[in-house]
């Protein structure tokens, strides 16, 4: 067991789980710039003063997750001892964020080499710089969670089995996203790939756009942000992570996009 300081940079959109009820992957960086994954974390069942934001430092007691062979995977021993610390701002063209995210560990540009490293189990998290973003793809998917899973979760909530606490009948399951969002991109050899974006941020953006612009217009608003803004005007990097299932099975490409890093392009003044 060790108490570590971690900068949270990734929170994935929650999914339902027969074992954990609701799962969200959290990942980030240690002060030395190495990646770490905290999984599973019952984020929406944490006390309000323990619900960390993206780019916020926290301290927690952690240990290797024995059920997860991925090298960066740890679990929080006692969520009640999570301590929230300062947030890392975007001041000076994201200077502090750039130093930690881009200035310590390698920024990958070759997808073939990255997949080989995952198959060798030497990494499962990476910062990736695509050579070109070709498209932003939106697909319709099932709009509701499977009914049998909802029934099972409802029973667990009534019995107080969720995360080992008492009855939580006021806990509401996150609505399922009716859309699947993906980037189509090329690496430094021209290899083309299409990877799903599983970031909580894109899910929340979609629901905010539904509220503000209506369901019919929401997908186009999401595309406007991720393609017209992030991909075309920002210095876009992708946070990639393997899923547990496809990492273990050594799938041809076990990665998904678990977050984006999109600082502004640096000006000449900022490079001096």
């Amino acid at each position: 067991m060790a108490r570590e300081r971690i900068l949270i940079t990734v929170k994935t959109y929650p999914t339902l789980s027969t074992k954990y009820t609701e799962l969200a992957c959290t990942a980030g960086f240690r002060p030395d710039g190495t990646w770490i994954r905290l999984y599973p974390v019952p984020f929406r069942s944490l006390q309000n003063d323990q619900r960390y934001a993206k780019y916020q430092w926290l301290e927690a007691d952690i240990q290797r997750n024995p059920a997860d062979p991925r090298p960066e995977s740890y679990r929080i021993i006692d969520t009640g001892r999570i301590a929230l610390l300062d947030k890392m701002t975007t001041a000076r063209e994201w200077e502090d964020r750039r130093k930690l995210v881009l200035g310590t560990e390698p920024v990958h540009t070759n997808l073939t080499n990255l997949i080989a490293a995952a198959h060798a189990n030497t990494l499962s998290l990476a910062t990736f710089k695509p050579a070109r973003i070709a498209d932003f793809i939106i697909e319709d998917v099932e709009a509701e969670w499977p009914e049998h899973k909802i029934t099972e979760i409802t029973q667990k909530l009534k019995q107080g089995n969720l995360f080992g606490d008492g009855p939580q009948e006021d806990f509401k399951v996150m609505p399922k996203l009716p859309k699947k969002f993906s980037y189509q991109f090329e690496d430094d050899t021209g290899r083309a790939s299409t990877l799903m974006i599983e970031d909580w941020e894109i899910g929340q953006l979609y629901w905010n756009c539904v509220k503000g612009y209506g369901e019919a217009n929401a997908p186009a608003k999401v595309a406007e942000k991720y393609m017209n803004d992030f991909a075309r005007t920002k210095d876009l990097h992708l946070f990639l992570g393997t899923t547990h299932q496809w990492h273990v099975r050594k799938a041809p490409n076990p990665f998904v996009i678990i977050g984006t890093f999109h600082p502004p392009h640096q000006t000449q003044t900022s490079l001096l």
Side-chain angles (χ1 to χ4, degrees):
M1 182 182 76
R3 189 163 183 83
E4 292 207 36
R5 191 166 178 255
I6 300 162
L7 180 73
I8 301 300
T9 59
V10 168
K11 287 192 294 184
T12 61
Y13 195 83
T15 60
L16 299 191
S17 164
T18 55
K19 182 176 181 180
Y20 296 103
T21 302
E22 185 179 274
L23 282 179
C25 176
T26 295
F29 294 89
R30 296 183 176 92
D32 65 359
T34 55
W35 274 102
I36 184 170
R37 175 188 291 106
L38 301 176
Y39 184 82
V41 177
F43 180 78
R44 293 200 305 125
S45 286
L46 297 176
Q47 297 296 318
N48 288 337
D49 61 355
Q50 295 171 327
R51 293 188 180 185
Y52 42 84
K54 289 180 68 173
Y55 293 97
Q56 181 167 26
W57 289 99
L58 63 77
E59 282 187 348
D61 299 315
I62 63 172
Q63 65 180 20
R64 284 283 295 141
N65 187 340
D68 190 340
R70 293 173 293 181
E72 304 92 344
S73 292
Y74 288 73
R75 66 182 183 90
I76 297 176
I77 298 171
D78 181 0
T79 56
R81 282 177 43 82
I82 294 174
L84 301 188
L85 306 174
D86 54 311
K87 296 180 180 180
M88 186 177 283
T89 72
T90 59
R92 304 178 304 280
E93 297 184 323
W94 294 43
E95 181 180 349
D96 291 340
R97 296 185 183 187
R98 281 181 179 274
K99 285 181 179 178
L100 188 63
V101 174
L102 305 180
T104 50
E105 290 291 287
V107 175
H108 298 266
T109 59
N110 185 285
L111 198 59
T112 300
N113 293 342
L114 189 60
I115 292 170
H119 287 171
N121 200 34
T122 59
L123 61 75
S124 65
L125 294 168
T127 304
F128 185 85
K129 176 65 174 174
R132 184 174 78 95
I133 297 291
D135 202 359
F136 181 77
I137 300 171
I138 305 172
E139 302 171 82
D140 292 328
V141 295
E142 180 60 50
E144 301 292 339
W145 298 113
E147 187 174 343
H148 73 277
K149 284 194 174 184
I150 295 294
T151 300
E152 182 179 348
I153 288 170
T154 301
Q155 291 302 315
K156 284 187 176 183
L157 292 171
K158 290 180 178 179
Q159 296 166 11
N161 291 332
L162 181 64
F163 311 124
D165 296 324
Q168 299 186 35
E169 296 184 44
D170 60 339
F171 184 91
K172 303 298 183 183
V173 173
M174 285 283 284
K176 187 177 183 298
L177 288 174
K179 305 291 182 182
K180 175 182 174 182
F181 302 104
S182 304
Y183 269 135
Q184 186 178 83
F185 61 91
E186 295 177 0
D187 72 357
D188 59 3
T189 68
R191 175 176 175 171
S193 297
T194 301
L195 295 184
M196 180 180 177
I197 305 171
E198 297 194 352
D199 191 3
W200 195 323
E201 199 168 87
I202 199 169
Q204 193 57 58
L205 174 63
Y206 172 78
W207 293 122
N208 289 343
C209 290
V210 168
K211 183 178 180 180
Y213 302 99
E215 188 174 346
N217 299 317
K221 291 297 182 180
V222 175
E224 184 178 312
K225 173 60 70 174
Y226 274 76
M227 195 65 183
N228 295 346
D229 185 7
F230 292 173
R232 291 176 177 154
T233 70
K234 302 292 174 58
D235 186 15
L236 178 65
H237 295 68
L238 308 176
F239 292 146
L240 302 186
T242 63
T243 66
H244 180 272
Q245 177 185 11
W246 298 122
H247 185 97
V248 172
R249 294 187 180 183
K250 296 186 178 180
N253 188 346
F255 287 96
V256 295
I257 299 169
I258 56 175
T260 59
F261 184 70
H262 42 266
H265 288 284
Q266 289 185 294
T267 63
Q268 189 63 36
T269 300
S270 67
L271 298 175
L272 298 178

